[in-house]
């Protein structure tokens, strides 16, 4: 197994190279790892899941509100089942909370029956419209003016960081080469069937088949291959995360009736024991504009005050923003170009986490149409990912584990109850963090209310003590 972050890339030709190690690209690499092929996974960042995949609402969707008949609808429905089973097998925390799509005015209330019917067209039959009295009984802290809701009991929350890391870890353990800090600058293809030649920041790479899962930059990679099928518009979503003391205020995922720019502002618990408010939906030109704005946060507070007034009295743990890869289409932009032995996976918006495993299977089928040999598939060894979820046992509370290894009883980050043992394990893992932010996504260290004010120096010392991987 190989993870590299610097230096020249290996010689030889890969059978398949995947550009982009977000949740979708990592899922594709994992699926390809089942085949007896030479596979590479590239990312411009120093870690997997460092783009859109790290900053989302972390919902495991049912697909009840997708556009019926679309590829997205089919893949979200299939992916939801796959990921739920995968999470249970590999220790990824999931909490099946259910969702309430809350109506606050007459127009929204009138739309609920059609949304229930839309769910049925998407193959989801458990959604039902419930009256205001039932909504209030189930969510007593909601603001005034609730007229009713669509109950969607199948929606869950999941840890997006652990999901991406699990895919990448399984891929690397099965033989995939993960090359980080490896931005693709150009692609040269030959009509004669010779391998693609990728020019990267770390030198040339040759590959017979190519998958573009570059997220916000998928349209730019597509143009390097001579295609202009879609344009990515970065859609910024700002979010506010409230402290764990706010967790008792909400029992479900509270969704708005969706608008033209997406699902709108929601309130949801997280598997990490906090409460999230957001996102905004701001179409931008800058694919690096992940900063928060005063206007965006003011909008979220205004929306949050209506949904859950008491939430605004709670302490804020963090504020962040993510960019979704929006396109002009309501569907995913997954395109196969068999003659080029090339598949592009673009326009994967907020449902990409849920659909990731189904997208991966679909992409492998498309690669097969382009001549990739797909015989000899094997099952991969299951993992046991470190648990980051509050609803599941964590090391600092495990007396037997601490007795066997006292490092799991030595808390470093007191806000999040992260131990030296967990940090040690993350630094020595198959896909180790390339930065303190990467370490936070693996352990929750520095993700609490003080944002590393108390533990930051010790966490950095532990990180710096571990030599970077080759």
């Amino acid at each position: 197994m190989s993870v590299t972050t610097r230096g020249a890339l290996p010689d030889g030709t890969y059978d398949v190279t995947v550009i982009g190690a977000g949740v979708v690209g990592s899922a594709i690499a994992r699926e390809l790892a089942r085949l007896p092929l030479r596979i590479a996974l590239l990312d411009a960042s120093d870690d997997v899941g460092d783009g859109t995949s790290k900053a989302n609402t972390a919902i495991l969707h049912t697909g009840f509100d997708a556009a019926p008949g679309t590829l997205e609808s089919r893949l979200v429905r299939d992916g939801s089942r796959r990921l739920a089973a995968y999470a249970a097998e590999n220790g990824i925390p999931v909490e099946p909370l259910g969702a309430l799509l809350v109506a606050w005015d007459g127009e929204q209330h009138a739309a609920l029956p059609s949304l229930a019917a839309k769910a049925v067209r998407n193959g989801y039959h458990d959604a039902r419209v419930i009256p205001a009295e039932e909504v209030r009984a189930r969510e007593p802290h909601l603001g005034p003016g609730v007229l009713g809701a669509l109950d969607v009991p199948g929606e869950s929350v999941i840890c997006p960081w652990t999901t991406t890391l699990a895919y990448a870890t399984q891929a690397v353990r099965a033989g995939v080469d993960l090359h980080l800090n490896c931005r693709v600058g150009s692609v040269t293809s030959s009509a004669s069937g010779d391998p693609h030649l990728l020019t990267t920041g770390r030198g040339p790479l040759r590959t017979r088949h190519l998958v573009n899962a570059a997220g916000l930059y998928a349209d730019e990679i597509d143009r390097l291959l001579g295609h202009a099928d879609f344009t990515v518009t970065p859609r910024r979503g700002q979010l506010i995360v409230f402290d764990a003391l706010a967790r008792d205020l909400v029992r479900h995922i509270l969704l708005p009736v969706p608008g033209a720019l997406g699902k709108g502002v929601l309130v949801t618990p997280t598997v990490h024991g906090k409460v999230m408010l957001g996102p905004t939906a701001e179409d931008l030109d800058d694919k690096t504009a992940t900063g928060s704005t005063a206007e965006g946060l003011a909008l979220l507070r205004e929306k949050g005050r209506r949904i859950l007034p008491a939430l605004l009295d709670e302490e804020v743990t963090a504020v962040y923003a993510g960019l979704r890869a929006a396109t002009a289409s309501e569907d995913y932009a997954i395109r196969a170009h068999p003659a080029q032995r090339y598949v592009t996976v673009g326009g994967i918006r907020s449902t990409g986490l849920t659909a990731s495993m189904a997208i991966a299977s679909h992409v492998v089928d498309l690669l097969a149409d382009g001549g990739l040999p797909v015989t000899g598939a094997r099952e991969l060894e299951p993992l046991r990912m470190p648990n980051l979820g509050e609803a599941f046992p964590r090391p600092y509370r495990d007396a037997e584990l601490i007795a066997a290894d006292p490092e799991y009883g030595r808390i470093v980050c007191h806000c999040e109850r992260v131990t030296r043992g967990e940090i040690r394990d993350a630094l020595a893992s198959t896909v180790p963090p390339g930065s303190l932010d990467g370490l936070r996504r693996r352990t929750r260290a520095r993700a609490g209310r003080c944002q590393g004010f108390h533990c930051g120096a010790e966490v950095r010392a532990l990180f710096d003590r571990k030599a970077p991987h080759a």
Side-chain angles (χ1 to χ4, degrees), residues 90-373:
N90 294 282
I92 299 169
V94 174
E95 290 189 54
L97 302 174
L100 295 176
L101 198 75
V102 182
W104 299 93
D105 60 38
E107 183 179 352
Q108 293 176 1
H109 191 239
L112 295 181
S114 63
L115 288 168
K118 184 180 186 181
V120 172
R121 295 201 303 279
N122 280 315
Y124 185 76
H125 297 273
D126 294 335
R128 65 187 182 94
V129 178
I130 60 174
E133 300 76 29
E134 183 175 346
V135 179
R136 291 214 162 276
R138 291 169 60 174
E139 287 290 354
H141 297 286
L142 283 173
V146 175
L147 299 180
L150 184 69
D151 179 24
V152 188
E155 300 274 298
S156 303
V157 292
I158 188 170
C159 181
W161 308 330
T162 307
T163 304
T164 304
L165 184 61
Y167 292 157
T169 298
Q170 222 172 10
V172 169
R173 288 185 182 178
V176 170
D177 287 344
L178 171 60
H179 301 306
L180 300 170
N181 297 315
C182 192
R183 184 179 298 276
V184 175
S186 67
V187 180
T188 303
S189 299
S190 168
S192 66
D194 291 338
H196 301 281
L197 174 62
L198 277 59
T199 303
T200 81
R202 295 177 51 198
L205 181 147
R206 288 173 174 78
T207 185
R208 294 184 180 87
H209 296 260
L210 185 62
V211 177
N212 167 16
L216 292 166
Y217 299 91
D219 57 341
E220 298 176 28
I221 298 294
D222 214 37
R223 282 162 177 72
L224 296 178
L225 275 294
H227 306 286
D229 295 340
F230 64 96
T231 297
V232 171
T233 299
R235 182 168 293 163
R236 181 166 59 190
Q238 301 184 50
L239 299 111
I240 301 174
V241 181
F242 291 86
D243 189 67
L245 293 175
R247 179 62 183 84
D248 290 340
L249 293 176
V250 59
R251 301 170 184 172
H252 303 77
I253 303 164
L254 301 179
L255 300 172
V257 175
L261 288 180
K263 295 179 172 65
V265 174
L266 58 87
V267 174
T268 180
T270 73
V271 294
H272 309 124
K274 300 179 180 65
V275 176
M276 184 185 299
L277 171 65
T280 57
E282 311 154 55
D283 284 348
L284 308 174
D285 296 322
D286 185 355
K287 293 182 178 181
T288 65
T290 56
S292 300
T293 66
E295 297 80 9
L297 299 180
L299 172 66
L300 291 181
R301 292 181 66 85
E302 176 188 338
K303 299 282 188 182
R305 186 171 287 110
R306 180 175 191 183
I307 300 166
L308 209 67
L311 184 62
L312 276 297
D313 296 328
E314 299 294 332
E315 294 288 335
V316 171
T317 293
V319 169
Y320 68 92
L323 298 174
R324 287 159 279 177
T327 67
S329 171
E330 285 191 353
D331 205 356
Y332 294 159
I334 300 178
R335 310 275 194 269
H337 303 279
Q340 284 184 295
R341 292 162 283 113
Y342 168 63
V343 176
T344 184
V345 186
I348 311 298
R349 298 177 298 275
S350 59
T351 56
L353 170 61
T354 300
S356 54
M357 297 189 80
I359 292 173
S361 179
H362 180 60
V363 167
V364 172
D365 288 343
L366 295 177
L367 288 169
D369 293 341
L372 181 73

Side-chain angles (χ1 to χ4, degrees), residues 49-60:
D50 194 42
T52 298
S53 300
K54 73 180 179 185
N56 55 53
T57 50
I59 295 175
L60 182 53

Side-chain angles (χ1 to χ4, degrees), residues 41-64:
L41 175 62
L42 315 182
D43 202 275
S45 178
D46 63 4
D47 201 0
V48 299
D50 194 42
T52 298
S53 300
K54 73 180 179 185
N56 55 53
T57 50
I59 295 175
L60 182 53
H61 295 282
T62 58
F64 79 96

Side-chain angles (χ1 to χ4, degrees), residues 31 75-88 167 354-362:
E31 186 69 18
L75 295 181
V76 169
R77 188 166 62 248
D78 182 24
S80 181
R81 291 190 293 267
R82 289 177 183 245
L83 182 50
Y86 181 80
Y167 292 157
T354 300
S356 54
M357 297 189 80
I359 292 173
S361 179
H362 180 60

